[in-house]
Amino acid sequence: MPETLLDPTTLGDLLRVASADDYHRWEDQIRRTGGCADPIHLIGWVLHKDKTTGQLLHHYSTENEP
């Protein structure tokens, strides 16, 4: 069986991602994109407010996504 070797850059990236604290979040995103190697990256935020009171109900941002 032929050996498949990773180049040092790819191996370094693989080890960095696999040992990251947010690995499970990263893995979840990979699964949701079907393992796509070149997914579309959307950035931004959303606020949900009560129309009557103006109270903030929910806030989401992609800022901390892996």
Side-chain angles (χ1 to χ4, degrees), residues 26-51:
W26 180 87
E27 181 184 30
D28 180 51
Q29 288 184 342
I30 295 300
R31 288 184 191 282
R32 289 187 302 146
T33 63
C36 180
D38 194 20
I40 296 170
H41 297 277
L42 301 175
I43 59 172
W45 51 269
V46 63
L47 298 174
H48 293 193
K49 290 186 174 186
D50 183 294
K51 288 182 180 182

